Amino acid sequence: MKTGLVLEGGAMRGLFTSGILDVLMERGMGHAFDGMVGVSAGACFGCNFKSEQPGRVLRYNRKYCTHYKYGSYLSWILSGDVFDVRFCYDEIPNRLDPMDYRAFENHPMEFYAVATSLQTGLACYKLIRKVGPLEMRWIRASASLPLLSRPVPIGKNLYLDGGMSDSVPLAFMEGRGYEKNVVILTRPDGYEKKEDRLFPLMAKAYRNYPAFVEKIRRRPAIYNAQLAFVKEREASGRAFVFRPEHELNCDGMVHDPDVLLRVYNLGRSVAKKRWDELQAFLAGDPPRA
């Protein structure tokens, strides 16, 4: 029986996810899962679970959140990306706060990053076994927000944020044979996604990619249906769900280290509070489908 981790995105709300993952690592659960899928910030931050580096996500986000190359409109004006590509996907992981690539490769857990094809509007689930330039491009694509990032070319296709096509890929993990899944959401219970007020602008910007525009148009309905699916699986005992107890009040671009610490600590608090429930879920057998 395979167990999986499903990590929703949410830009800097992902610090909530990182708080939970750090508690899991600190308490000896770094190898408790057979597979993990991350979307957007879930991919960018979640890969540190596979590289077994608790504290790294909080550390580099707090250190560089005030840097103009790390989530600012100035970076967008100068480079075309609110998160400067070279700074975020080369300088930080390779020099400023190195990612442990060897630990990542040696960890047996499967890790998937989700990106959205501009040509088809479909989700692409990339299995990442190591972290090289190509793999880093998939992680970057997963977190490249429409309008605020340039599309990422990989092969013959262009990709953007995985959250546009599959924000909570629990069904994907079940389809891969993961019978028990721990889902980490970054929105509280009862949240309902509304139509994006920037949709008209996105429709114009990506008018040459009608399938992608249609996926963005349908995203609220798809996302809300996914949340309903997660709740059904939670109620039936096939999924365990971590979610914030209330809105995190954390915007996509955060330049206050204390806000990031607060969100991270909320994740840690939830993980500790529900620790015994998590252990019981992982130890039990899932109900038959």
Side-chain angles (χ1 to χ4, degrees):
M1 179 175 60
K2 296 199 297 184
T3 60
L5 267 174
V6 180
L7 310 181
E8 182 185 16
M12 289 307 169
R13 294 196 307 275
L15 269 294
F16 174 82
T17 300
S18 295
I20 293 172
L21 296 180
D22 280 2
V23 170
L24 296 184
M25 286 188 277
E26 292 164 4
R27 296 191 175 189
M29 292 189 65
H31 287 253
F33 301 91
D34 302 294
M36 174 173 68
V37 60
V39 182
S40 195
C44 285
F45 298 163
C47 60
N48 294 274
F49 187 75
K50 185 171 169 66
S51 67
E52 302 181 81
Q53 292 178 275
R56 179 173 180 267
V57 173
L58 177 66
R59 184 174 61 245
Y60 76 72
N61 273 280
R62 294 193 77 211
K63 185 173 183 179
Y64 298 113
C65 69
T66 57
H67 197 293
Y68 80 92
K69 291 184 178 181
Y70 199 81
S72 75
Y73 289 113
L74 179 57
S75 174
W76 179 62
I77 292 169
L78 295 176
S79 71
D81 297 278
V82 291
F83 289 91
D84 181 88
V85 172
R86 184 173 180 180
F87 183 72
C88 296
Y89 298 99
D90 180 12
E91 291 184 34
I92 290 178
N94 290 322
R95 289 179 290 281
L96 298 176
D97 197 328
M99 184 176 177
D100 192 335
Y101 296 134
R102 179 172 296 182
F104 185 99
E105 293 177 19
N106 291 337
H107 198 299
M109 180 182 66
E110 292 186 331
F111 172 56
Y112 296 88
V114 186
T116 304
S117 166
L118 261 69
Q119 285 84 349
T120 67
L122 299 176
C124 180
Y125 308 90
K126 179 62 177 179
L127 176 60
I128 298 179
R129 302 184 185 278
K130 64 176 183 177
V131 183
L134 177 59
E135 291 78 15
M136 191 63 78
R137 188 176 293 184
W138 279 107
I139 294 173
R140 170 188 153 202
S142 183
S144 291
L145 295 169
L147 300 180
L148 298 178
S149 307
R150 293 170 295 172
V152 180
I154 304 176
K156 296 181 180 180
N157 295 315
L158 296 171
Y159 296 90
L160 281 173
D161 191 351
M164 297 297 106
S165 55
D166 194 351
S167 297
V168 191
L170 174 58
F172 165 76
M173 290 297 276
E174 290 188 355
R176 298 290 301 179
Y178 291 89
E179 299 178 68
K180 298 175 67 175
N181 291 283
V182 173
V183 182
I184 304 180
L185 302 176
T186 59
R187 294 289 193 182
D189 193 20
Y191 174 81
E192 182 178 356
K193 184 174 287 296
K194 306 295 185 181
E195 181 178 343
D196 194 323
R197 59 184 177 83
L198 294 178
F199 174 72
L201 185 57
M202 287 190 281
K204 183 176 181 180
Y206 301 107
R207 58 187 176 277
N208 293 330
Y209 304 98
F212 181 69
V213 171
E214 176 63 12
K215 185 57 65 74
I216 297 175
R217 186 188 69 80
R218 297 178 53 229
R219 188 186 178 209
I222 293 172
Y223 180 79
N224 293 333
Q226 286 184 317
L227 291 185
F229 177 70
V230 168
K231 291 203 75 169
E232 182 274 318
R233 287 297 196 255
E234 182 182 25
S236 67
R238 296 183 63 183
F240 182 91
V241 184
F242 284 115
R243 53 171 66 86
E245 296 177 341
H246 49 75
E247 280 290 349
L248 295 173
N249 296 318
C250 181
D251 296 329
M253 292 185 286
V254 176
H255 305 291
D256 185 343
D258 292 337
V259 171
L260 299 179
L261 179 62
R262 173 182 62 79
V263 174
Y264 171 83
N265 282 333
L266 287 173
R268 292 186 63 89
S269 176
V270 168
K272 292 176 180 179
K273 183 182 298 185
R274 303 194 62 204
W275 185 258
D276 291 342
E277 296 176 65
L278 174 65
Q279 301 310 305
F281 168 78
L282 294 174
D285 294 325
R288 294 182 179 180

